[in-house]
Amino acid sequence: MAYLLGRIAPGAVPPLLPALAGALVVGTLLVADRGHLAGITLFAPVAALLLSGLASGHPHDGRSDWLVPPVLRATEYTFLTVLGLASGVPGPLVFVLLVAVVCHHRDDVARPMAGTARPAWVRGAALGWDGRMLAVAAGGALHALTPAYGILAGYLAVLLVRESVRTWSATPVTDVRTRTTAPPGGGDTGPGDPRISRPGSGDGDGGQPAAGTNGEA
């Protein structure tokens, strides 16, 4: 939904201001009702935060635009935590859902550092912050908030594990053999005591990890 809203005026809306405005409204709603949202008010925080979707078509190249993702993440975490605990959802279940969401966010951040990226369909299947918040709000409106938390947590966990296993299975591993060299001073090196080459000596792999063995962080 946020991507679709960004097509209304691509590049015309600065990203940070709508994100901060949405976060402020969400926080105000949660504080005013002490997290006891019900009925149509459950969707009010989601609608407020969707204001930031208008800026999704912006290149995010401003000096402070790097703050947008942390603001969105913090708002989503706050919404899920406060709403769940105030509405009687068991604390461990709220924690499990938060861990699943945080792991998906970390996966998105860590993969580019390993030179890969999650497939677009996996990112879409994770529902996005707007989809997750809407799913929880719909569960609350149907008086099934606890099942909504449980189903969403289980779904995200299965999706994360499935994609992690697929990525690890597809990662090539290079067979690196350490070459045995004579120690300084002419001593002998036993067959079971290979000497580790020093970085930069041109021997072995220079102490660097084997290609492909780091997998996905």
Side-chain angles (χ1 to χ4, degrees), residues 30-113:
L30 292 175
V31 170
D33 292 334
R34 297 182 180 179
H36 295 284
L37 303 178
I40 194 65
T41 60
L42 281 163
F43 297 93
V46 189
L49 196 57
L50 275 175
L51 289 173
S52 61
L54 294 172
S56 63
H58 194 279
H60 289 64
D61 54 359
R63 178 176 298 179
S64 302
D65 290 348
W66 63 272
L67 289 169
V68 175
V71 170
L72 294 177
R73 301 293 176 255
T75 307
E76 180 186 1
Y77 300 159
T78 301
F79 175 77
L80 294 176
T81 303
V82 175
L83 177 64
L85 296 179
S87 302
V89 178
L93 184 55
V94 175
F95 177 76
V96 169
L97 177 57
L98 286 174
V99 168
V101 174
V102 170
C103 285
H104 276 279
H105 289 159
R106 186 192 181 279
D107 199 23
D108 272 336
V109 173
R111 282 176 181 264
M113 291 188 286

Side-chain angles (χ1 to χ4, degrees), residues 3-217:
Y3 281 123
L4 292 176
L5 288 172
R7 295 179 181 179
I8 296 176
V13 181
L16 185 57
L17 186 58
L20 290 175
L24 179 62
V25 174
V26 172
T28 302
L29 289 170
L30 292 175
V31 170
D33 292 334
R34 297 182 180 179
H36 295 284
L37 303 178
I40 194 65
T41 60
L42 281 163
F43 297 93
V46 189
L49 196 57
L50 275 175
L51 289 173
S52 61
L54 294 172
S56 63
H58 194 279
H60 289 64
D61 54 359
R63 178 176 298 179
S64 302
D65 290 348
W66 63 272
L67 289 169
V68 175
V71 170
L72 294 177
R73 301 293 176 255
T75 307
E76 180 186 1
Y77 300 159
T78 301
F79 175 77
L80 294 176
T81 303
V82 175
L83 177 64
L85 296 179
S87 302
V89 178
L93 184 55
V94 175
F95 177 76
V96 169
L97 177 57
L98 286 174
V99 168
V101 174
V102 170
C103 285
H104 276 279
H105 289 159
R106 186 192 181 279
D107 199 23
D108 272 336
V109 173
R111 282 176 181 264
M113 291 188 286
T116 62
R118 285 206 295 179
W121 75 266
V122 175
R123 298 189 66 186
L127 304 180
W129 58 264
D130 46 353
R132 290 187 291 266
M133 291 175 66
L134 281 172
V136 168
L142 296 173
H143 305 287
L145 195 58
T146 298
Y149 269 69
I151 293 172
L152 185 58
Y155 168 74
L156 292 176
V158 170
L159 181 65
L160 181 67
V161 171
R162 185 260 179 205
E163 179 59 19
S164 297
V165 171
R166 185 201 67 81
T167 303
W168 274 103
S169 300
T171 301
V173 178
T174 303
D175 184 19
V176 179
R177 294 179 175 85
T178 304
R179 188 170 55 182
T180 302
T181 59
D188 294 330
T189 301
D193 184 25
R195 178 173 174 266
I196 300 175
S197 59
R198 291 176 181 150
S201 63
D203 194 13
D205 64 350
Q208 299 300 319
T213 56
N214 59 337
E216 302 303 333

